[in-house]
Amino acid sequence: MRFDVFTLLPEVFPPYLQASILQKAAARGLVEFRIHNIRDYTHDKHHTTDDMPYGGGGGMVMKPEPVFEAVESVLGAPPACPVILLTPQGRLFTQSVAAELAALPQIALLCGRYEGFDERIREHLATDELSIGDYVLTGGELPALIVIDAVSRLIPGVLGDPTGAEDDSHASGLLEYPHYTRPPEFRGWRVPDVLLSGDHARIARWRREQALRRTLLRRPDMLATAALSQEDRKFLARLETDGEGGR
Ligand code: ADE
């Protein structure tokens, strides 16, 4: 899958992309990252990418010309793939949006700086808008890295373990069960006996119940849309009548 990122801060991307599992995925040809500096598509002496807002008010606005030129010269006019604007006004980026994007061969991510974009970028260049949460950052670069990371790890082969992404928190609509590794006892805290039992059916049941218990306690809103079996529902009903969410 190919990611084209358009930004005024291209230097922030390589340190993360080269230090993570994503670098290995890129070396194996599973993902490709192309980072484009919007400033390279300006033509004035000062390489201007922003200007004052019409109508007055504080802050600067990203000019449309370099942004359109950058995207269209790399991806064609109209662009040959979705062009996603990172903005706090976008639809919320969730695990299911990540899965939706991971099925595509290519996406472009457009990172804003300053107070925002000229509205014509949003209306006539972007095909989608994503927000990573209800808070405002200084730009779209961290959100773009978050989208790249969450989407890339869903591409088959990117994670070492082929089942790696299946049990993730959110992938199944539930929070994930707790994990333990050696030693079996640390500072007096023991790993639950069931995990040492070698009984795979019991372990699977324990993990499912832990995921249900944890979701009920921390994110009960997620239970409304999770795929739950009859047995899951009985277990949850029992937890609720016992007044026990556990920990
Ligand atoms: N740019 C600034 N804040 C953002 C957010 N929360 N999500 C996406 N892009 C942003």
Side-chain angles (χ1 to χ4, degrees):
M1 176 170 181
R2 174 171 149 180
F3 297 84
D4 284 272
V5 180
F6 297 87
T7 172
L8 288 168
L9 292 178
E11 66 276 16
V12 309
F13 289 87
Y16 185 75
L17 296 176
Q18 289 170 6
S20 68
I21 199 167
L22 301 180
Q23 158 65 22
K24 289 196 197 93
R28 283 155 59 214
L30 297 170
V31 286
E32 183 183 354
F33 306 116
R34 297 199 192 182
I35 312 300
H36 311 278
N37 190 347
I38 294 169
R39 202 172 297 283
D40 292 344
Y41 298 85
T42 54
H43 301 289
D44 63 311
K45 198 169 79 195
H46 300 292
H47 302 287
T48 312
T49 55
D50 63 329
D51 207 338
M52 292 185 309
Y54 274 120
M60 298 293 271
V61 177
M62 260 172 97
K63 289 169 67 57
E65 308 96 304
V67 176
F68 272 80
E69 187 174 325
V71 172
E72 290 177 343
S73 63
V74 173
L75 302 171
C81 69
V83 177
I84 301 170
L85 203 58
L86 284 314
T87 159
Q89 299 185 15
R91 65 182 173 125
L92 192 63
F93 181 64
T94 60
Q95 191 66 29
S96 67
V97 176
E100 181 192 305
L101 298 180
L104 301 174
Q106 184 178 0
I107 60 171
L109 298 168
L110 191 45
C111 308
R113 287 258 124 199
Y114 311 116
E115 293 298 295
F117 306 91
D118 184 287
E119 187 66 13
R120 289 163 290 190
I121 297 169
R122 186 191 304 279
E123 280 184 353
H124 304 293
L125 188 62
T127 58
D128 197 358
E129 300 179 29
L130 291 178
S131 165
I132 60 159
D134 288 343
Y135 40 83
V136 180
L137 303 168
T138 55
E141 284 75 17
L142 290 171
L145 277 169
I146 283 167
V147 170
I148 289 173
D149 194 287
V151 171
S152 295
R153 64 188 291 289
L154 296 178
I155 295 169
V158 168
L159 295 181
D161 171 5
T163 63
E166 281 167 23
D167 280 342
D168 283 345
S169 289
H170 298 282
S172 65
L174 296 178
L175 297 181
E176 205 180 353
Y177 54 77
H179 300 271
Y180 293 89
T181 186
R182 283 180 287 190
E185 184 172 331
F186 170 68
R187 296 189 176 176
W189 301 308
R190 289 189 48 74
V191 172
D193 286 337
V194 56
L195 296 178
L196 310 178
S197 70
D199 181 339
H200 296 294
R202 257 186 77 210
I203 291 171
R205 195 169 348 109
W206 181 85
R207 285 179 167 166
R208 184 73 186 172
E209 291 179 359
Q210 288 292 317
L212 289 163
R213 182 191 295 268
R214 195 162 268 205
T215 309
L216 177 65
L217 194 71
R218 299 184 186 188
R219 289 292 306 276
D221 57 297
M222 290 171 64
L223 292 173
T225 48
L228 300 175
S229 69
Q230 202 61 358
E231 201 180 343
D232 292 339
R233 290 183 195 284
K234 270 194 216 142
F235 178 75
L236 285 169
R238 207 162 63 232
L239 284 184
E240 284 181 287
T241 51
D242 293 354
E244 192 226 344
R247 282 194 307 140

